[in-house]
């Protein structure tokens, strides 16, 4: 089945498609998402709190700056024009003033720098204070400018150079890019006083609060450390789950496998205890089934023997032969059922099995009919399994292929994780609807008179054994004729690592 076009996939489908599949990866991704969200939330709250405190401090500094500017403006406004010029010249020469001062006969149009929330706070604070502190006839024109913009229309006044020299001399700071607060106020004699200054430390730049590189680095480092700790912890926590999964897989291969350790967290301990209890119930169920079939076998032998003896006393030969044939069929069915139980339980210890040797042995057992069996391919190394059970699988499939298809071609394909066995015969094949039914007990598709009798339990036994080894079996008709039985047997990881 092909996937729908990407454009038709919903967001949920995309998340499910690209989300990690393992539990550690999902936990790490979830923790990483939670950490990022918490970091963003905490950083946002911290930033808002710090910015609020920064704005409060900026307002207080602006208030103090407004008081100093208002005192200076009022002092100059109360001086005569000549004295004002002398004082201004003295301040310019000494450079001891906090402010850069300049007198002009007209208002200087200076381009303003771009607005920021911090610059707006400064301008609003200054404007509100000047309304009450300055004479009503002297409205102040407030602007915030950059060094490059601090120029006047008067070509004889190089305000930018003068402002820079003044600021560097008065503050002893490299403030080339610092914004300059400019206040222009008309004097009583029609002169304009221009006052320029910088905000005091730490508000010189009048920029929003920013995260410094060390802060980002600390957040990144803490996130990485937390993710590593979560990865290590998650792996340790899910280790019992991996052991439980391995034990469940081993239980499917060997019902008598040792119980798993009931240790770890409460939840893991409860799961392990429940698993061991389930294994015990399965063992008791299988043992009870064995005892039941043994009892059935013992109880049926005596009446079948009696009926056979009585059949021999029948005078009618035709009736006697039919009766004995029915008894033989009943005896064969009982023996087949008992054999099925025994072969399905496979009470053997797994050990390395040479599959190539087993196939060659089966071919030799065919004697003069060995030409009916062809073998292609070999295994790379022995397969860990139950020897007698595996031999029963190979023998049953070979016998069925020769019985119903005249000959069989066995193909061996050994891969890294699985061993593949293909049994290709030259028979009529199996209809699609019957490919599952043939594994059921006592089902025989070909009942023609020229076929030898059988119990119909062979393929069921084969599938039970294959499933007992954790494998799979499937039937498919070959395009060029005949049936192909495909057997997949997974290799055990521990044996592969040792080889």
């Amino acid at each position: 089945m092909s996937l729908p076009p990407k454009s038709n996939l919903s967001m949920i489908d995309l998340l499910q498609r690209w989300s990690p599949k393992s539990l550690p990866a999902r936990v790490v991704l979830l923790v990483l998402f939670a950490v990022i969200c918490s970091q963003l939330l905490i950083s946002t709250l911290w930033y808002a709190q710090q910015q609020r405190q920064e704005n409060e401090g900026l307002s207080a500094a602006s208030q103090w700056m407004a008081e100093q500017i208002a005192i200076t403006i009022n002092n100059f406004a109360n001086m005569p024009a000549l004295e004002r010029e002398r004082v201004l010249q003295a301040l310019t020469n000494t450079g001891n003033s906090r402010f850069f001062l300049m007198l002009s006969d007209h208002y200087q149009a200076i381009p303003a720098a771009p607005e920021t929330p911090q610059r707006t706070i400064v301008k609003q604070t200054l404007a509100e204070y000047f309304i009450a502190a300055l004479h009503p006839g002297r409205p102040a024109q407030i602007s915030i400018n950059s060094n490059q913009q601090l120029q006047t229309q008067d070509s004889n006044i190089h305000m930018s150079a003068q402002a820079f020299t003044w600021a560097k001399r008065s503050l002893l700071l490299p403030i080339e890019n610092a914004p300059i607060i400019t206040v222009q106020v008309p004097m009583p004699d029609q002169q304009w006083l221009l006052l320029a200054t910088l905000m005091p430390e730490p508000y010189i730049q009048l920029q929003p609060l920013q995260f410094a590189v060390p802060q980002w680095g600390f957040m990144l480092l803490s996130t990485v450390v937390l993710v590593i700790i979560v990865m290590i912890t998650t792996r340790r926590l899910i280790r019992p789950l991996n052991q439980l999964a391995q034990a469940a897989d081993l239980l499917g291969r060997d019902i008598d496998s040792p119980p798993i350790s009931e240790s770890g967290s409460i939840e893991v301990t409860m799961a392990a205890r429940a698993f061991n209890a389930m294994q015990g119930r399965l063992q008791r169920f299988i043992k009870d089934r064995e005892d039941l079939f043994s009892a059935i076998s013992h109880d049926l032998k005596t009446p079948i023997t009696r009926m056979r003896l009585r059949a021999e006393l029948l005078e009618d030969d035709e009736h006697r032969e039919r009766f004995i044939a029915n008894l033989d069929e009943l005896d064969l069915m009982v023996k087949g059922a008992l054999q099925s139980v025994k072969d399905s339980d496979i009470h053997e210890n797994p050990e390395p099995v040479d599959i190539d040797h087993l196939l060659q042995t089966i071919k030799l057992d065919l004697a003069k009919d060995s030409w009916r069996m062809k073998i292609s391919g070999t295994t790379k190394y022995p397969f860990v399994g139950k020897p007698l059970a595996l031999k029963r699988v190979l023998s049953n499939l070979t016998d069925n292929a020769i019985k119903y298809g005249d000959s069989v071609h066995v193909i061996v394909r050994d891969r890294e994780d699985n061993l593949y066995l293909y049994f290709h015969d030259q028979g009529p094949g199996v209809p699609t609807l019957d490919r599952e039914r043939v594994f059921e007990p006592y089902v025989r598709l070909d009942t023609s008179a020229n076929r030898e009798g059988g119990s119909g339990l062979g393929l069921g036994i084969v599938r039970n054994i294959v499933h007992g080894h954790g494998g799979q079996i499937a039937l498919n008709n070959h395009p060029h004729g005949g049936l192909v039985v495909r057997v997949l047997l997974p290799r055990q990881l521990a044996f592969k690592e040792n080889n």
Side-chain angles (χ1 to χ4, degrees):
M1 180 181 295
S2 59
L3 291 174
K6 291 186 177 180
S7 58
N8 295 333
L9 292 177
S10 64
M11 183 60 66
I12 297 178
D13 294 332
L14 291 175
L15 290 176
Q16 292 177 348
R17 182 176 179 182
W18 296 107
S19 61
K21 300 302 184 291
S22 65
L23 181 59
R26 290 187 175 185
V27 171
V28 169
L29 184 62
L30 181 61
V31 170
L32 184 61
F33 176 75
V35 168
I36 292 176
C37 291
S38 63
Q39 291 278 23
L40 289 176
L41 178 61
I42 294 173
S43 300
T44 301
L45 296 177
W46 176 87
Y47 180 85
Q49 177 68 14
Q50 290 296 110
Q51 190 64 67
R52 185 180 64 83
Q53 296 178 358
E54 187 84 3
N55 292 342
E56 290 176 355
L58 180 61
S59 296
S62 301
Q63 181 75 16
W64 176 84
M65 183 70 69
E67 295 175 0
Q68 302 301 313
I69 295 174
I71 293 173
T72 302
I73 292 174
N74 285 330
N75 288 337
F76 272 87
N78 295 328
M79 294 179 185
L82 293 177
E83 185 179 353
R84 192 184 301 144
E85 293 282 355
R86 287 195 300 270
V87 173
L88 182 61
Q89 185 65 34
L91 292 175
T92 302
N93 292 334
T94 58
N96 293 328
S97 174
R98 179 177 184 84
F99 308 121
F100 169 75
L101 299 168
M102 187 182 71
L103 288 171
S104 177
D105 59 357
H106 60 273
Y107 171 76
Q108 305 290 334
I110 304 172
E115 288 289 337
T116 64
Q118 286 67 33
R119 295 176 183 179
T120 302
I121 292 175
V122 173
K123 291 173 65 176
Q124 289 178 349
T125 304
L126 293 177
E128 291 172 0
Y129 185 84
F130 289 160
I131 291 174
L134 297 181
H135 190 277
R138 293 191 293 272
Q141 304 295 325
I142 307 168
S143 63
I144 298 179
N145 321 95
S146 66
N147 250 337
Q148 292 77 12
Q149 295 171 324
L150 194 58
Q151 299 178 6
T152 67
Q153 295 176 348
D154 192 342
S155 60
N156 296 325
I157 300 175
H158 301 286
M159 187 181 298
S160 177
Q162 292 181 19
F164 174 72
T165 303
W166 151 78
K168 193 167 186 180
R169 185 170 55 200
S170 60
L171 299 180
L172 301 178
L173 289 172
I175 45 73
E176 291 86 346
N177 297 322
I180 297 176
I181 301 172
T182 303
V183 180
Q184 298 186 64
V185 182
M187 297 288 101
D189 52 1
Q190 303 304 318
Q191 282 188 324
W192 281 79
L193 176 65
L194 184 148
L195 183 147
T197 186
L198 299 177
M199 287 295 294
E201 287 275 13
Y203 309 107
I204 292 178
Q205 294 295 338
L206 291 178
Q207 294 293 335
L209 185 65
Q210 296 180 352
F211 283 99
V213 174
Q215 292 173 317
W216 288 110
F218 174 77
M219 292 174 60
L220 179 61
L221 179 62
S222 61
T223 302
V224 171
V225 171
L226 181 60
V227 168
I228 292 176
I229 293 175
V230 169
M231 289 180 62
I232 296 174
T233 305
T234 305
R235 289 183 179 276
R236 291 178 61 87
L237 290 176
I238 68 169
R239 189 176 300 166
L241 297 180
N242 292 332
Q243 295 175 353
L244 182 62
Q246 294 174 0
D249 181 68
L250 183 60
L251 179 64
R253 303 168 187 264
D254 184 8
I255 192 63
D256 295 320
S257 59
I260 61 177
S261 175
E262 298 178 3
S263 61
S265 63
I266 297 177
E267 294 79 7
V268 173
T269 302
M270 292 177 60
R273 188 176 295 122
F275 180 85
N276 290 334
M278 178 192 68
Q279 182 178 7
R281 288 193 294 269
L282 289 175
Q283 289 173 340
R284 290 192 297 272
F285 170 77
I286 292 177
K287 185 177 184 302
D288 293 343
R289 189 181 67 165
E290 290 180 349
D291 295 342
L292 175 63
F293 272 86
S294 296
I296 292 175
S297 174
H298 181 270
D299 292 342
L300 287 179
K301 284 181 180 179
T302 301
I304 290 177
T305 302
R306 290 175 182 174
M307 293 174 67
R308 188 184 301 277
L309 292 175
R310 291 180 180 179
E312 294 293 340
L313 300 178
L314 294 176
E315 297 180 356
D316 192 326
D317 294 338
E318 182 178 357
H319 285 78
R320 183 174 61 250
E321 290 178 0
R322 290 181 179 178
F323 200 82
I324 292 176
N326 290 333
L327 290 175
D328 289 339
E329 185 176 358
L330 177 61
D331 187 44
L332 181 62
M333 292 177 62
V334 172
K335 291 180 179 178
L338 294 174
Q339 188 65 33
S340 173
V341 174
K342 293 180 180 179
D343 289 339
S344 298
D345 290 338
I346 325 172
H347 292 297
E348 296 182 85
N349 293 324
E351 61 182 64
V353 179
D354 190 345
I355 299 296
D356 300 328
H357 177 71
L358 286 182
L359 290 174
Q360 293 296 334
T361 301
I362 293 172
K363 184 174 182 179
L364 289 175
D365 291 342
L366 294 175
K368 61 179 181 179
D369 291 329
S370 61
W371 62 271
R372 298 181 182 273
M373 182 178 181
K374 178 183 177 182
I375 303 173
S376 299
T378 58
T379 57
K380 297 178 181 178
Y381 40 83
F383 178 83
V384 177
K386 301 180 178 182
L388 294 179
L390 289 174
K391 185 176 182 180
R392 181 66 184 269
V393 169
L394 301 179
S395 298
N396 278 11
L397 294 178
T398 301
D399 292 342
N400 279 354
I402 293 176
K403 181 178 181 181
Y404 295 100
D406 296 326
S407 64
V408 59
H409 183 193
V410 182
I411 304 171
V412 181
R413 294 287 182 266
D414 201 353
R415 297 294 181 260
E416 183 67 22
D417 298 324
N418 302 307
L419 174 63
Y420 297 90
L421 300 173
Y422 299 90
F423 295 81
H424 181 200
D425 62 36
Q426 302 299 319
V430 175
T432 303
L433 297 178
D434 294 328
R435 290 177 189 172
E436 282 296 322
R437 197 168 65 88
V438 294
F439 291 106
E440 297 175 4
Y442 308 113
V443 173
R444 288 177 291 175
L445 299 182
D446 192 345
T447 57
S448 58
N450 59 342
R451 296 294 184 187
E452 299 178 4
S455 63
L457 296 171
L459 285 179
I461 294 173
V462 167
R463 185 168 67 173
N464 290 338
I465 296 175
V466 171
H467 287 176
H469 284 78
Q472 301 173 6
I473 183 171
L475 308 181
N476 290 287
N477 291 331
H478 196 276
H480 300 294
L483 179 69
V484 178
V485 180
R486 174 182 173 272
V487 177
L488 183 153
L489 296 174
R491 288 192 173 278
Q492 294 187 16
L493 182 60
F495 184 79
K496 292 193 294 181
E497 292 177 347
N498 294 332
N499 287 269

